[in-house]
Amino acid sequence: MSTSQIIVVGGGAAGFFAAITAAEMGAKVRLLEKSGRFLEKVRISGGGRCNVTHACPDIRAMAGNYPRGSRAVLGPFHQFSMTDTVEWFGRRGVRLKTERDGRMFPESNTSETIVACLLGSARDAGVELFANTEVASLDAVHGGGYRLGISGIKGETVSLEANRVLLATGGCRSASQGLLAAKLGHALIPPVPSLFTFIIESGWLRSLSGISLEDVEVVAGDLGLRQRGPILITHWGLSGPVVLKMSAWGARDLHAVNYRFTVRLNWMPGKPLDDILGEIQHRRQSAGNKLVSQIPIAPVPLRLWENLVMAAGLNRDARWSGITRNQIHALGMQLTRSEFPVAGKSLNKDEFVTCGGIKLGEVNLQTMESKVSPGLFFAGELLDIDGITGGFNFQAAWTTGYIAGRAMASS
Ligand SMILES: Cc1cc2nc3c(=O)[nH]c(=O)nc-3n(C[C@H](O)[C@H](O)[C@H](O)COP(=O)(O)OP(=O)(O)OC[C@H]3O[C@@H](n4cnc5c(N)ncnc54)[C@H](O)[C@@H]3O)c2cc1C
């Protein structure tokens, strides 16, 4: 049994997982959290249900969901994968269920189950938990170990020492959040938001707020971005998995253009344009005297179809029999290449993360120990690893937290 003196900075998913793992191996662990509540992000995650991980036992396929860090997570996932996460919670009486799209939630459908499990496991393992305790400074001590300057709730400053320190302080919303590590010689990849939705000031699009489609292709041609999947039209623009995916993979490109660019939507990506034009031609004969705006081409819903017909330049009372060759072409273009100017980003209320953080080349990914400052470890969103929406970000936190906890307790 090790008697390590370990301090974990940050009481989120990664910090708790590391602290529990190390304490269960016999280490003496203190966990310091600057806010008044532990695990606050776990609590609000997944719309209050906590999307714990993603049902994807294939490690390579799982790794493909990380715009930053997809190669780097391969080794760590061999040590602690989503299957291990399911088992870890299962052993503590928390059963997870899988939804149709692969997202995994606690069967209870509330994040409180996960919070209670982590808090209970930490206490059972003997982790000493300190809330309202902010680490304001971190210095290497001559001869080994670290000295931490702590600000308490009453403004007093005390210092603590530890052999090993884990920084699990979460996404670098600003460069100053990475300062503790930067002072010890670490480079920070500049932070930029990921997982956001698109603001589009188009009256006709916004009038369709609430409509969702299962399969739409979204293209930001100038930026070389292309994604396909479910979309949701909102009162501010576009959201849904396909938009969040594009925002994650294109986080840096979209930041570079200040979130102003043109998106092109193909509402029927499953069909070639020629087939769509053929279908419209056929309608001309089969629907004859009926109103174009009232007979949509599947799978486009009626309200969207009406607006596409108007956008193609047809009148509301236009009939199929009177549709011209140019109008057929315009309708085909609207169905496959509707263009909208994006005027900014809005953060999705369910989930957002920061891309950027501690440079992975400076971390030993088998232990999560710094290559720059021995005895210093990292876990969670502070690292330059981030996933798309669907449980991938928590999985990265569980995996890196577990590995860091093990390594700290056994080194
Ligand atoms: C609204 C929302 C919903 C989400 N839903 C999901 C989801 O369902 N599934 C999913 O996979 N991901 C989700 N995410 C992303 C996920 O929550 C994060 O990736 C994950 O919480 C990161 O865990 P972490 O422990 O690295 O960081 P955090 O959870 O951010 O924890 C870091 C902790 O460190 C503390 N801290 C910071 N600096 C100091 C300091 N100097 N001293 C002491 N303490 C400090 C902070 O107060 C914080 O409590 C969501 C994110 C948001 C914002």
Side-chain angles (χ1 to χ4, degrees), residues 68 172-173 189-196 247 250-256 259 345 353-357 386:
R68 267 69 48 187
C172 293
R173 297 278 179 266
I189 307 290
V192 160
S194 178
L195 297 178
F196 47 83
S247 80
R252 292 215 174 268
D253 296 324
L254 298 174
H255 176 77
Y259 309 103
K345 68 164 172 53
V353 295
T354 313
C355 89
D386 62 274

Side-chain angles (χ1 to χ4, degrees), residues 58-60 62-64 66 70 72-82 84 392 395-396 399-400 403:
D58 182 300
I59 284 171
R60 260 181 198 284
M62 185 81 180
Y66 293 83
S70 64
V73 292
L74 279 173
F77 282 167
H78 278 287
Q79 286 197 54
F80 193 89
S81 66
M82 61 76 41
D84 297 307
F392 301 103
Q395 185 56 53
T399 296
T400 53
I403 293 173

